[in-house]
Amino acid sequence: MVSVKNKLVLITGATSGIGKACAEIYAQNGANLVITGRRDDRLAKIQKDLEDKYNVKVTPYCFDVRDREAVEMFGEELKNKNLTPYIFINNAGLAKGVSPIQEGNINDWEDMIDTNIKGFLYMARIVLPLMVEKNTGSVINLGSIAGSQVYPGGNVYNATKHAVRALNQAMNMDLLKTNIRISSIEPGAVETEFSLVRFDGDKEKADNVYKGFQPLTGADIAYIIYFMTTLPEHINIHNLMVTPTAQRSATLFNRQ
């Protein structure tokens, strides 16, 4: 296994869920971190907690990946401070709403497209050249089972995650002549703030998504991502779909 001790890991969307869990597992194993997110107070708390607990360096940057100018400024910071990540976890993303297309909220569509596709690309565009220059490392693109299987009410979210799947394949081709590994992970049901955001803060609806079975946790996915990025460097997992045992497709659950 490849050690991440003293290596730099960049995680977007690190203030909750899978991103936060990734920050924890990499810090626990001695990696230094650059974490990004939209909530400054959460970033500051995560920084303090991880630095105190694991004696690693955590550098937070508060911005929205949808803001192209902010992303480009962040890219300049990385370049000027020689903060080239060994591992880049392109995690920031969201789902909003479950309406059919003919009743869809266009603002929700904009949020998903701007975050899940454009923000994803903005970040890739600033980070990949730095990694190519060093010709080493791993990229993990956060997909979803929704990127392989369309389901009722998913429509635009499904489309954005299909885009992530396609872009992951394209990155693998574009970086063929490098030693950089490009991987995506496609989780099924993971109990985080994801559904709370999707249902616009309606906790009852969000909780119902996970009733009757044991969902995955952010820590489960972080553990798998850690495994993928610490395999011997000649091994590249292109795409990995993972679900709870009680889930066998995007819509099939064994609820008790």
Side-chain angles (χ1 to χ4, degrees), residues 11 13 16-26 89 91 142 185 187-194 210 214-226 242 244:
I11 306 167
S16 65
I18 293 170
K20 182 180 178 183
C22 284
E24 178 83 28
I25 195 169
Y26 282 101
I89 302 175
N91 167 70
L142 257 293
I185 186 166
V190 184
E191 189 170 11
T192 63
E193 294 178 16
F194 176 87
Y210 309 108
Q214 183 176 349
L216 299 170
T217 66
D220 293 331
I221 302 303
Y223 174 80
I224 296 168
I225 289 171
Y226 179 79
V242 55

XYZ file of all heavy atoms in Angstrom, residues 11 13 16-26 89 91 142 185 187-194 210 214-226 242 244:
306
model
N -9.413 18.358 -0.826
C -10.791 17.863 -0.784
C -11.744 19.039 -0.930
O -11.720 19.976 -0.115
C -11.089 17.138 0.543
C -10.066 16.025 0.805
C -12.506 16.566 0.535
C -10.098 15.479 2.224
N -15.741 20.474 -0.939
C -16.959 20.097 -0.221
C -16.653 19.359 1.063
O -17.295 18.352 1.395
N -18.929 18.687 5.247
C -19.922 17.721 5.728
C -19.795 16.430 4.932
O -19.063 16.348 3.942
C -21.346 18.282 5.579
O -21.672 18.473 4.207
N -20.523 15.411 5.389
C -20.690 14.180 4.641
C -19.416 13.484 4.230
O -18.467 13.325 5.014
N -19.369 13.055 2.978
C -18.243 12.280 2.465
C -16.960 13.097 2.502
O -15.898 12.588 2.865
C -18.552 11.783 1.043
C -19.698 10.749 1.077
C -17.311 11.175 0.389
C -20.248 10.383 -0.284
N -17.034 14.372 2.134
C -15.837 15.210 2.127
C -15.220 15.329 3.506
O -13.990 15.205 3.670
N -16.043 15.560 4.506
C -15.543 15.679 5.884
C -14.953 14.354 6.359
O -13.903 14.319 7.018
C -16.676 16.118 6.810
C -16.246 16.327 8.248
C -17.406 16.771 9.118
C -16.978 16.928 10.570
N -18.131 17.293 11.445
N -15.630 13.263 6.020
C -15.129 11.943 6.420
C -13.794 11.640 5.752
O -12.911 11.023 6.348
C -16.158 10.865 6.072
N -13.626 12.071 4.501
C -12.337 11.902 3.818
C -11.243 12.689 4.531
O -10.121 12.189 4.720
C -12.442 12.364 2.366
S -13.305 11.215 1.272
N -11.548 13.907 4.932
C -10.565 14.710 5.655
C -10.112 13.975 6.911
O -8.909 13.949 7.241
C -11.160 16.077 6.001
N -11.031 13.371 7.594
C -10.727 12.648 8.832
C -9.791 11.463 8.580
O -8.766 11.305 9.266
C -12.022 12.160 9.472
C -11.853 11.349 10.752
C -11.673 12.194 12.007
O -12.165 13.333 12.048
O -11.045 11.687 12.958
N -10.119 10.644 7.594
C -9.325 9.418 7.411
C -7.928 9.730 6.892
O -6.946 9.091 7.287
C -10.054 8.395 6.502
C -9.385 7.025 6.629
C -10.108 8.849 5.054
C -10.176 5.894 5.996
N -7.804 10.741 6.036
C -6.465 11.080 5.542
C -5.618 11.736 6.639
O -4.419 11.457 6.764
C -6.552 11.959 4.297
C -6.888 11.165 3.060
C -8.177 11.146 2.547
C -5.915 10.407 2.417
C -8.495 10.400 1.425
C -6.220 9.653 1.297
C -7.515 9.650 0.798
O -7.824 8.890 -0.308
N -9.595 15.074 -4.337
C -10.935 14.494 -4.225
C -11.945 15.556 -4.642
O -12.237 16.482 -3.897
C -11.191 13.972 -2.790
C -10.123 12.937 -2.420
C -12.589 13.360 -2.693
C -10.194 12.435 -0.989
N -15.109 16.452 -4.817
C -16.271 15.938 -4.093
C -17.481 16.858 -4.090
O -18.618 16.384 -4.014
C -15.845 15.650 -2.637
C -17.023 15.404 -1.731
O -17.696 14.382 -1.830
N -17.294 16.358 -0.834
N -16.235 12.326 -7.500
C -17.397 11.809 -6.791
C -18.600 11.739 -7.722
O -19.168 12.764 -8.102
C -17.715 12.675 -5.572
C -17.294 12.105 -4.229
C -18.076 10.857 -3.864
C -15.797 11.819 -4.214
N -16.039 7.168 -7.932
C -16.804 6.288 -7.055
C -18.265 6.691 -7.157
O -18.589 7.878 -7.207
C -16.290 6.343 -5.596
C -17.018 5.301 -4.736
C -16.373 7.742 -5.009
C -16.348 5.052 -3.402
N -21.531 6.104 -5.193
C -22.267 5.577 -4.044
C -23.768 5.511 -4.289
O -24.343 6.327 -5.024
C -21.964 6.589 -2.931
C -20.829 7.424 -3.441
C -20.971 7.425 -4.924
N -24.392 4.541 -3.635
C -25.838 4.503 -3.560
C -26.288 5.336 -2.369
O -25.853 6.473 -2.199
N -27.140 4.766 -1.534
C -27.712 5.516 -0.413
C -26.687 5.719 0.699
O -26.254 4.762 1.351
C -28.931 4.786 0.138
N -26.300 6.971 0.897
C -25.374 7.348 1.965
C -26.083 8.370 2.837
O -26.525 9.411 2.362
C -24.079 7.977 1.406
C -23.099 8.268 2.541
C -23.440 7.080 0.362
N -26.183 8.081 4.132
C -26.908 8.992 5.033
C -25.992 10.136 5.451
O -25.154 9.995 6.340
C -27.429 8.250 6.258
C -28.359 9.114 7.101
C -29.094 8.351 8.179
O -28.750 7.183 8.428
O -30.025 8.924 8.781
N -26.174 11.280 4.799
C -25.454 12.508 5.118
C -26.474 13.646 5.058
O -27.674 13.403 5.136
C -24.330 12.769 4.099
O -24.920 12.958 2.809
C -23.350 11.601 4.030
N -26.010 14.867 4.857
C -26.935 15.992 4.668
C -27.493 16.044 3.248
O -28.282 16.930 2.924
C -26.211 17.314 4.968
C -25.813 17.474 6.422
C -25.054 18.771 6.679
O -25.098 19.670 5.809
O -24.423 18.886 7.737
N -27.102 15.103 2.415
C -27.494 15.088 1.005
C -29.008 15.204 0.822
O -29.504 16.062 0.095
C -26.969 13.801 0.355
C -27.371 13.607 -1.076
C -26.605 14.153 -2.098
C -28.500 12.879 -1.404
C -26.964 13.973 -3.435
C -28.872 12.694 -2.727
C -28.098 13.241 -3.743
N -33.988 6.931 4.309
C -33.107 5.915 4.883
C -33.831 4.979 5.859
O -33.176 4.210 6.569
C -31.940 6.609 5.593
C -31.240 7.623 4.730
C -31.393 8.988 4.972
C -30.460 7.232 3.650
C -30.763 9.930 4.168
C -29.844 8.162 2.843
C -29.991 9.507 3.105
O -29.384 10.427 2.295
N -30.146 -0.304 6.611
C -28.924 0.346 7.078
C -28.216 0.986 5.896
O -27.646 0.293 5.047
C -27.991 -0.657 7.754
C -26.734 0.000 8.314
C -25.841 -0.972 9.065
O -26.243 -2.093 9.351
N -24.634 -0.538 9.385
N -28.221 2.322 5.818
C -27.542 2.989 4.709
C -26.040 3.029 4.929
O -25.534 2.727 6.019
C -28.135 4.400 4.743
C -28.450 4.623 6.183
C -28.857 3.282 6.740
N -25.326 3.409 3.896
C -23.904 3.692 4.039
C -23.725 4.986 4.817
O -24.647 5.798 4.932
C -23.251 3.818 2.662
C -23.300 2.589 1.763
C -22.843 2.948 0.351
C -22.454 1.464 2.332
N -22.518 5.196 5.316
C -22.168 6.448 5.978
C -21.060 7.139 5.173
O -20.403 6.509 4.324
C -21.656 6.203 7.408
O -20.409 5.488 7.326
C -22.670 5.413 8.223
N -20.857 8.406 5.465
C -19.742 9.111 4.838
C -18.424 8.418 5.119
O -17.545 8.347 4.249
N -18.281 7.886 6.330
C -17.041 7.196 6.702
C -16.831 5.934 5.876
O -15.693 5.578 5.543
C -17.061 6.852 8.194
N -17.911 5.234 5.522
C -17.798 4.041 4.670
C -17.180 4.411 3.324
O -16.265 3.739 2.828
C -19.167 3.412 4.423
C -19.800 2.823 5.663
O -19.061 2.383 6.564
O -21.049 2.808 5.728
N -17.699 5.479 2.719
C -17.205 5.893 1.401
C -15.779 6.422 1.513
O -14.928 6.144 0.649
C -18.131 6.949 0.775
C -19.556 6.388 0.644
C -17.609 7.384 -0.587
C -19.664 5.114 -0.165
N -15.494 7.161 2.568
C -14.129 7.676 2.770
C -13.129 6.533 2.890
O -12.012 6.608 2.341
C -14.080 8.556 4.019
N -13.509 5.468 3.578
C -12.628 4.313 3.726
C -12.312 3.694 2.364
O -11.165 3.333 2.070
C -13.281 3.271 4.644
C -12.509 1.985 4.755
C -11.405 1.877 5.595
C -12.879 0.868 3.994
C -10.687 0.691 5.684
C -12.164 -0.314 4.073
C -11.072 -0.401 4.910
O -10.360 -1.569 4.989
N -13.347 3.589 1.513
C -13.152 3.001 0.180
C -12.278 3.910 -0.684
O -11.391 3.447 -1.413
C -14.506 2.725 -0.491
C -15.280 1.676 0.312
C -14.320 2.251 -1.931
C -16.743 1.544 -0.092
N -12.514 5.220 -0.607
C -11.682 6.171 -1.355
C -10.232 6.069 -0.893
O -9.297 6.055 -1.716
C -12.223 7.605 -1.180
C -13.548 7.764 -1.931
C -11.209 8.637 -1.663
C -14.268 9.065 -1.659
N -10.035 5.987 0.406
C -8.681 5.840 0.947
C -8.019 4.581 0.389
O -6.846 4.608 -0.037
C -8.727 5.804 2.474
C -7.375 5.634 3.111
C -6.508 6.717 3.226
C -6.952 4.393 3.572
C -5.249 6.560 3.796
C -5.705 4.225 4.139
C -4.853 5.308 4.252
O -3.610 5.148 4.803
N -20.821 1.447 -5.281
C -20.986 0.809 -3.978
C -22.341 1.195 -3.397
O -22.746 2.353 -3.439
C -19.830 1.199 -3.015
C -19.697 2.714 -2.891
C -20.020 0.568 -1.649
N -25.376 0.085 -0.087
C -25.641 -0.755 1.088
C -26.078 -2.145 0.622
O -26.602 -2.298 -0.485
C -26.811 -0.043 1.787
C -26.902 1.301 1.185
C -26.327 1.209 -0.183
